[in-house]
Amino acid sequence: MTGTHANMGPAAIAWRRFRRHRLALASGLVLLGLSVLAAAAPLVGMLLGTAPDAVDLFSRFAPPSAAHPLGTDELGRDVLVRLLYGGRVSLLVGITAALAAAVFGTAVGLLAGYHGGRLDALLMRLTDSVISLPLLPLLIVLAAVDPGKLGLPEGVAESESLSLYRIVVIVALVGWTTVARLVRATALSLRERDFVLAAIAQGAGAARVMLVHILPNLASPIIVATTLSVGNVILLESVLSFLGLGIQPPVPSWGNLLTNAQELIWTVPGLALYPGALIFVTVIAFNFLGDGLQDAMASRPSDG
Amino acid sequence: MIRFLAGRTVQAASVLLLMSFVIYGLMGLMPGDPIDLMISADPKMTSEDAVRLRKLYGLDQPITERYANWLAAAVGGDLGYSRLYAKPVLDVLFPALGNTVRLLAISFLLSLAIALPMGILAAMRPYSRFDYSVNLAAFAGISVPSFWLALILIIVFSVTFNLLPAGGTGTLSEGGIWETARYLVLPVANLVIVSVGGHTRYTRAAMIEALRQDYIRTARAKGAGPARVVLKHALRNAMIPVVTIIALDFGMLFSGALITETIFASPGMGKLIFDAIMGSDFNLALVGLLFATTLTLVGNLLADIAYARLDPRISYR
């Protein structure tokens, strides 16, 4: 088995392994398709001759038709167009928050893993505490904080896009733990390796060793953990938006599209199906993708 | 063991103390100042009244001082009144705590009862068709948004087939045990589905790792049957990492209970905390959150004890 790898770089080997993980490959394609559709939301709106917030009270709860492929909601707005616009927000927030969390988690994990000792014990205890806390009620408290009381200027505190930034920050605050643990474990073993010891012997400072010598070798665990956490982050964003604390209407997100659906399940249960199904598909696709990447990037030279 | 437990209790207490300070500070940043709420409830109140009340309740003092006062009262057993329910906070919280513990305990045990056999069977034949299906189902459980799943359960079992109640609780005096159980079916199903996937994957991963060890080969070589090898030799060792990870999941389980209780209108801690935050009942929200934190910390502590019982190498002395 090993012989076939003779002329291949690590990236090519990883790609070969990844291709064999059919679910992960399919998930990647699904996510690509969803992103393209979400990006094309204005185009779809134009083709259908409607906008995400175009209210039409004469055609509330319309069944699917050529003009409204998935029907209309309680205000006569087109369900498909709102779903696609919601997807832009949910995907963008999910990926941005996961990246922000990854940066923070990498910093914590790198410091803990490289320095070890007391700092490591302290940071890891902090990480474990954050993981074990009941996070959702805490996030609800954070999301309910009045931005005006934080001393933000009025223009910022009242702006519509604040709910976007706010949700990214809040979710990143609790989403960094997985990355931190993985990075710490890898950094812990890397710091004993010869190339790191050589760098230290040549007089490189701690910051240089961490950023130049160790960080590049952490790429695979960081990529895997970030991919896996995008799913989690999208779930958190959607539940907060569902509870009315995340993305605020009229900006649609997959979570807040479900807020009204709960009151309407006795009359129009169908409205509750689509947004949740899209969250489900997106999250499971990110999880499969992360799983596939993990298999592909695992350093197992013998069973490629 | 006692010294270890004492150490862990001190650690849990300090986490709790830190949490109380952070949450207390955050509550001050939430919209709806208690005095503002009083003003809006009573139009006859003048601004001098407001200033006087602010002074009376100590709201004109810096936050650290107010927190110290609150803490002193709390340690003395005075946790204050709930604004929404007009009752002492503890009188509101204790019945809800019972409901939540019941929901969590049933769901947790049921989830383990499904996850352990599934994880073990999948690990015995890794990469088989059965393993593949279990993995797929586990991923689905991990990825499904719990609030959406709850809505789907209601649509299927309450709206369409009218088999089970969509929310609320039954009382023992009215309908007996079966009536109460009917109200628990959907919330428990919801919580089990969202937690069983994680539990199954942890079990499977730990069992695969354990079955790869040399002592398994030794046991097989000595002629131990497959059931004995798996259950006695592998499972016992696999349970050690499983217990650790599952213990860290208690907080997640509580978060799931919050969503489940809110959607199924089930009067538990999760719904109470959510309603308290949304209704600016800061006292209730604060104490409720601390109760929830205590609940997960106690869960972690129990897991530590289980860990010590499972692993004879750890004596915690």
Side-chain angles (χ1 to χ4, degrees), chain A residues 125 132 136 144 146 149 272 287, chain B residues 11 29-31 143 148 255 300:
Chain A
R125 185 126 314 162
S132 72
L136 188 62
D146 180 358
K149 290 195 183 180
N287 283 339
Chain B
Q11 192 191 325
L29 290 171
M30 300 221 304
S143 309
W148 179 65
S255 300
N300 288 343

Side-chain angles (χ1 to χ4, degrees), chain A residues 70-94:
Chain A
L70 293 178
T72 59
D73 67 359
E74 71 275 14
L75 294 176
R77 296 172 294 194
D78 185 84
V79 170
L80 176 68
V81 171
R82 284 184 68 71
L83 277 176
L84 294 183
Y85 271 93
R88 291 167 83 112
V89 173
S90 292
L91 287 171
L92 203 66
V93 166

Side-chain angles (χ1 to χ4, degrees), chain A residues 58-65 68 70-74 76-77 79 268:
Chain A
F58 290 109
S59 56
R60 301 168 66 217
F61 305 125
S65 63
H68 302 293
L70 293 178
T72 59
D73 67 359
E74 71 275 14
R77 296 172 294 194
V79 170
V268 264

Side-chain angles (χ1 to χ4, degrees), chain B residues 14-57:
Chain B
S14 39
V15 170
L16 206 58
L17 196 68
L18 195 66
M19 279 284 288
S20 73
F21 181 67
V22 171
I23 301 168
Y24 193 92
L26 286 172
M27 293 287 163
L29 290 171
M30 300 221 304
D33 188 78
I35 304 295
D36 290 346
L37 290 169
M38 278 186 206
I39 294 172
S40 60
D42 179 6
K44 277 187 289 186
M45 229 164 88
T46 61
S47 48
E48 288 87 60
D49 288 339
V51 172
R52 209 171 50 240
L53 277 171
R54 225 170 265 281
K55 194 152 202 160
L56 180 69
Y57 289 114

Side-chain angles (χ1 to χ4, degrees), chain B residues 175-298:
Chain B
I177 284 185
W178 287 114
E179 195 51 28
T180 314
R182 265 167 51 86
Y183 282 92
L184 272 173
V185 174
L186 289 185
V188 166
N190 190 44
L191 264 185
V192 168
I193 293 174
V194 297
S195 53
V196 75
H199 291 168
T200 306
R201 279 180 59 78
Y202 303 148
T203 310
R204 174 184 176 273
M207 278 300 285
I208 286 183
E209 186 59 36
L211 284 169
R212 217 183 264 160
Q213 302 299 318
D214 288 340
Y215 54 74
I216 295 297
R217 199 181 314 148
T218 310
R220 286 212 175 104
K222 283 166 69 180
R228 192 183 156 81
V229 168
V230 169
L231 295 178
K232 184 109 181 127
H233 295 267
L235 183 61
R236 176 117 193 221
N237 288 289
M239 283 319 284
I240 296 169
V242 170
V243 164
T244 323
I245 305 178
I246 286 179
L248 285 175
D249 262 6
F250 281 138
M252 283 261 285
L253 201 62
F254 186 85
S255 300
L258 188 147
I259 300 166
T260 305
E261 287 171 359
T262 304
I263 295 178
F264 289 103
S266 161
M269 293 277 294
K271 183 171 162 43
L272 207 60
I273 292 174
F274 180 65
D275 290 346
I277 295 171
M278 299 314 274
S280 305
D281 190 344
F282 300 135
N283 234 345
L284 184 59
L286 174 61
V287 181
L289 266 165
L290 293 181
F291 264 50
T293 312
T294 313
L295 208 60
T296 54
L297 291 175
V298 168

